[in-house]
Amino acid sequence: MQLTQSEATRRAAQAQQILDGKTKPLGALGQLETLGVQLCVIQNTLTPSIDPVRALIFGADHGVAAEGVSLFPAEVTAQMMANFASGGAAICVLTRSFGVQCEVLDVGVNADLSGLAGIVHAKVARGSGNLRRSPALTPEHLVQAMGVGAQAAVRAFKSGIKTLVLGEMGIGNTTSAAALICAYTGASPSEVVGAGTGVSGAALALKTTVVAEALTRTAKSGNAKPAAREILAELGGLEIAALAGAMIEAHTLGLIVLVDGFIVTAAALAACQIEPATRANLVFAHRSAERGHSIALGALNATPLLDLGLRLGEGSGAALAVPLVRAAAAIINDMASFADAGVSNVDAGVPHGQS
Amino acid sequence: MQLTQSEATRRAAQAQQILDGKTKPLGALGQLETLGVQLCVIQNTLTPSIDPVRALIFGADHGVAAEGVSLFPAEVTAQMMANFASGGAAICVLTRSFGVQCEVLDVGVNADLSGLAGIVHAKVARGSGNLRRSPALTPEHLVQAMGVGAQAAVRAFKSGIKTLVLGEMGIGNTTSAAALICAYTGASPSEVVGAGTGVSGAALALKTTVVAEALTRTAKSGNAKPAAREILAELGGLEIAALAGAMIEAHTLGLIVLVDGFIVTAAALAACQIEPATRANLVFAHRSAERGHSIALGALNATPLLDLGLRLGEGSGAALAVPLVRAAAAIINDMASFADAGVSNVDAGVPHGQS
């Protein structure tokens, strides 16, 4: 499903032409039209199909949690994996509510979850290293974690899945995501580091210092800017690497990818720096309340669908956008054209959109 | 379902307490939490239920269309009623996609639709008067049109409906809505009048003049500010009056009301000026691309759920918000608490929200 740029442009123009013939003023469905065109390009079709949809929720622990960067103790990662398995977490409620499958993967939780039924056991290591003081991931762990994500995408594809909702769980991972966003965009820690689970005051200042020191540490390793994969290994986490691996593979497979908030967008930055073509398949679901998110979205030239002040993670924002993606496809597939419906259209010379 | 202010405040506090005990950082579901609290207050419950949902789409013509304020000919109102009846319009596609019932009502289309199956025939008159030059509605037509809306709400309630999606169709009705918004908020026509179906340049200037002259005409009728109902009769339309009637009755019945864009929000302004308690039941679905919409939303102290650049009407934006309303209820009803799930919470002294 690798279109050339000119093939993609042609497909997009065909899709927009179909939308322009529907019984509505030109451009009147706004971002739903932009999204519909993107869906046609991703699937190289003029009749996009969204379902079945599967959420992939990757869980892992972070060595940096030992620095006191989260309001919650690190044990909460494992506790939340059990909450996912028993269906009580927000992402479980949302996926059930919207008819979305939910697959939870242990890619690096610092606990023995082997007895926990209902999740995929794909543990690469019991958490990442403390990025303030050492690389978060070894080169081997990076490859393995990206592989866990890629394999989950392949498994979904083989099950007939058309759309992935990507989410995560990991106490400490807003610190890792903030460091990655700084490293990939050049923004400063004071612009990007935010409240995460709710830190403020001295704890927020500490979190900013931790990110700043991590960036200094990794910058020291050479004069040249490190490659995208090196940055991901130095500052990432096992679940973030898995998310990046899932996105890159999803592009190869022609899957639609719904990107959640701050952490998944940090993974998207990594994926798009490693493999720029990945960007075409990413649908950005929402603008998080976490302050650095807008910087990451801007770097990806992304206009998200929702802006509800969410800052939960788990893929919750991505799941909430699933009905909008279905609606965008339904408009293209099922809405009547002026010709079908015998409705008078305005002259063809009218400019597109409001003016 | 008429709560006193102190009953409503108490119910809201109980709902927020339930949300604060769920397995997530405090306030992390943002606007979905605010919405969940509102749903509990509307239904005076801690277990809100949203379904079944019914869309009510009121269609009517506007005498002011003769002034050339729309890009489309007035015949399109009747043509679109047929498109609704045959299921081809955007609102039909969206309601089918989301499992929402759809009732289309002729409250004032300037055509004989008596042979059209699949719609509710409740025509009050064949369109409104030309608001530039005369009152849009007679006092009798105002009462009758508000009654059509109220009866539709009662019919829905008796069918077990919990949530209404309100929409409209009527060539010329952004002109009427703009005039109403100016009259109710004191904003000027140049701030409020927008592209509607897509007018620009000289046509937009004409539309602004039409609204300004209508306001001058109605202001002339006396020194005192006209009452809310008089403004609705002078500047409204039959479908806008029906929408206001539906909202006021929905409050009495304890129904949740999803408010669409520019025109339905103008009707909401009328309804809330006529009966201020109505405001409690209104959930504002989206911010329209139509420029005056933000002024109307501000006057109603409303923060809409979506901002997708829509400017179609028909209830399309309100329908797109239905899954978010369902999600807000599902979070309250189905998500595990820290106690249920055995997840460690932070100390109770943590301030609410990010800081």
Side-chain angles (χ1 to χ4, degrees):
Chain A
M1 200 68 75
Q2 309 273 359
L3 299 189
T4 65
Q5 189 56 49
S6 70
E7 286 168 336
T9 304
R10 188 163 150 271
R11 187 56 92 190
Q14 290 169 333
Q16 188 63 56
Q17 192 174 19
I18 288 174
L19 286 166
D20 289 349
K22 301 290 191 185
T23 46
K24 57 171 185 55
L26 274 175
L29 282 169
Q31 225 177 320
L32 225 51
E33 298 194 25
T34 320
L35 174 57
V37 169
Q38 184 186 1
L39 301 176
C40 288
V41 173
I42 292 173
Q43 296 188 337
N44 193 23
T45 181
L46 295 172
T47 54
S49 57
I50 307 309
D51 284 281
V53 182
R54 180 179 291 174
L56 302 176
I57 315 302
F58 298 95
D61 273 302
H62 291 258
V64 74
E67 302 285 347
V69 289
S70 176
L71 219 56
F72 288 83
E75 294 77 50
V76 165
T77 306
Q79 292 167 351
M80 283 299 296
M81 295 297 278
N83 197 21
F84 295 141
S86 63
I91 186 62
C92 309
V93 172
L94 295 175
T95 50
R96 275 200 303 273
S97 177
F98 293 156
V100 169
Q101 301 174 20
C102 190
E103 179 174 300
V104 178
L105 302 96
D106 172 11
V107 60
V109 179
N110 185 19
D112 179 4
L113 299 183
S114 57
L116 187 61
I119 70 166
V120 174
H121 299 281
K123 200 193 294 287
V124 170
R126 286 182 65 140
S128 55
N130 179 349
L131 60 86
R132 183 181 194 176
R133 303 170 195 280
S134 63
L137 306 177
T138 65
E140 296 73 25
H141 286 170
L142 175 67
V143 169
Q144 289 171 37
M146 289 181 74
V148 169
Q151 287 152 27
V154 169
R155 209 160 48 239
F157 177 79
K158 288 187 176 165
S159 305
I161 297 292
K162 299 285 199 297
T163 305
L164 295 178
V165 164
L166 295 185
E168 44 57 48
M169 177 69 219
I171 295 298
N173 68 5
T174 59
T175 301
S176 168
L180 288 168
I181 292 168
C182 289
Y184 286 126
T185 69
S188 71
S190 62
E191 293 172 290
V192 175
V193 174
T197 50
V199 297
S200 59
L204 182 59
L206 168 67
K207 187 173 170 184
T208 309
T209 301
V210 165
V211 169
E213 290 187 14
L215 292 168
T216 307
R217 178 183 65 69
T218 54
K220 258 194 261 177
S221 59
N223 289 322
K225 196 187 168 193
R229 279 175 187 273
E230 283 175 67
I231 292 173
L232 184 54
E234 285 286 354
L235 304 172
L238 293 158
E239 84 284 38
I240 296 176
L243 288 163
M247 289 179 207
I248 293 168
E249 187 66 30
H251 168 69
T252 306
L253 299 168
L255 298 175
I256 299 158
V257 176
L258 268 162
V259 176
D260 195 41
F262 190 64
I263 289 123
V264 182
T265 305
L269 273 173
C272 293
Q273 297 237 352
I274 293 168
E275 178 47 67
T278 304
R279 175 66 184 83
N281 293 55
L282 304 183
V283 174
F284 290 85
H286 80 114
R287 187 180 302 276
S288 166
E290 183 71 9
R291 43 186 298 227
H293 193 213
S294 290
I295 291 172
L297 290 169
L300 287 158
N301 194 23
T303 305
L305 294 165
L306 297 167
D307 186 356
L308 294 167
L310 308 175
R311 49 184 180 82
L312 177 56
E314 301 181 7
S316 53
L320 283 165
V322 168
L324 296 176
V325 180
R326 288 176 175 151
I331 290 293
I332 291 191
N333 292 327
D334 300 335
M335 194 174 157
S337 68
F338 284 101
D340 295 338
V343 173
S344 307
N345 197 357
V346 294
D347 293 343
V350 172
H352 197 281
Q354 285 193 84
S355 57
Chain B
M1 201 64 77
Q2 309 274 358
L3 298 189
T4 65
Q5 189 55 50
S6 70
E7 286 169 336
T9 304
R10 186 163 152 273
R11 187 56 91 192
Q14 291 170 331
Q16 188 63 57
Q17 193 174 19
I18 288 173
L19 285 166
D20 289 349
K22 301 291 191 184
T23 46
K24 59 172 184 54
L26 275 174
L29 282 169
Q31 224 177 321
L32 225 51
E33 299 194 25
T34 320
L35 174 57
V37 169
Q38 184 186 2
L39 301 176
C40 288
V41 173
I42 292 173
Q43 297 189 336
N44 193 24
T45 182
L46 295 172
T47 53
S49 57
I50 306 310
D51 284 281
V53 182
R54 180 179 292 174
L56 302 176
I57 315 302
F58 298 95
D61 273 301
H62 291 257
V64 75
E67 303 285 347
V69 290
S70 176
L71 219 55
F72 288 84
E75 294 75 50
V76 165
T77 305
Q79 291 167 351
M80 283 299 296
M81 295 298 278
N83 197 21
F84 295 142
S86 63
I91 186 62
C92 310
V93 172
L94 295 174
T95 51
R96 275 200 304 273
S97 177
F98 293 156
V100 169
Q101 302 174 20
C102 190
E103 179 174 301
V104 178
L105 302 96
D106 172 10
V107 60
V109 179
N110 186 19
D112 179 5
L113 300 183
S114 58
L116 187 61
I119 71 166
V120 174
H121 298 281
K123 199 193 296 287
V124 170
R126 285 181 69 139
S128 54
N130 179 349
L131 60 86
R132 184 181 192 176
R133 304 170 194 279
S134 63
L137 306 177
T138 65
E140 296 71 27
H141 286 170
L142 175 67
V143 168
Q144 289 170 35
M146 289 182 73
V148 169
Q151 289 152 24
V154 169
R155 208 159 50 237
F157 177 79
K158 288 188 176 165
S159 306
I161 296 293
K162 298 286 198 296
T163 305
L164 295 178
V165 164
L166 295 185
E168 45 56 49
M169 178 69 218
I171 294 299
N173 68 6
T174 61
T175 301
S176 168
L180 288 168
I181 292 168
C182 289
Y184 285 127
T185 69
S188 71
S190 61
E191 293 173 290
V192 175
V193 174
T197 50
V199 298
S200 60
L204 182 59
L206 168 68
K207 188 173 169 184
T208 309
T209 300
V210 165
V211 170
E213 289 187 12
L215 292 168
T216 305
R217 179 183 64 70
T218 55
K220 258 194 261 177
S221 59
N223 288 321
K225 196 186 167 195
R229 279 176 187 272
E230 282 175 69
I231 291 173
L232 184 54
E234 285 286 356
L235 305 171
L238 293 158
E239 84 284 38
I240 297 177
L243 288 163
M247 288 180 207
I248 292 168
E249 187 66 30
H251 168 69
T252 306
L253 299 168
L255 298 175
I256 300 158
V257 176
L258 269 162
V259 176
D260 195 41
F262 190 64
I263 289 124
V264 182
T265 305
L269 272 174
C272 292
Q273 297 237 354
I274 293 168
E275 177 47 67
T278 304
R279 175 66 183 84
N281 291 55
L282 306 183
V283 174
F284 290 84
H286 80 114
R287 187 180 302 277
S288 165
E290 183 71 10
R291 43 186 299 225
H293 193 211
S294 289
I295 291 173
L297 290 168
L300 287 159
N301 194 24
T303 306
L305 294 165
L306 297 167
D307 187 355
L308 294 166
L310 308 174
R311 48 182 181 83
L312 176 57
E314 300 182 6
S316 54
L320 283 165
V322 168
L324 297 176
V325 180
R326 288 176 175 150
I331 290 293
I332 292 191
N333 292 328
D334 301 335
M335 192 174 158
S337 69
F338 285 102
D340 296 337
V343 174
S344 306
N345 197 355
V346 294
D347 294 343
V350 172
H352 198 282
Q354 286 193 87
S355 55

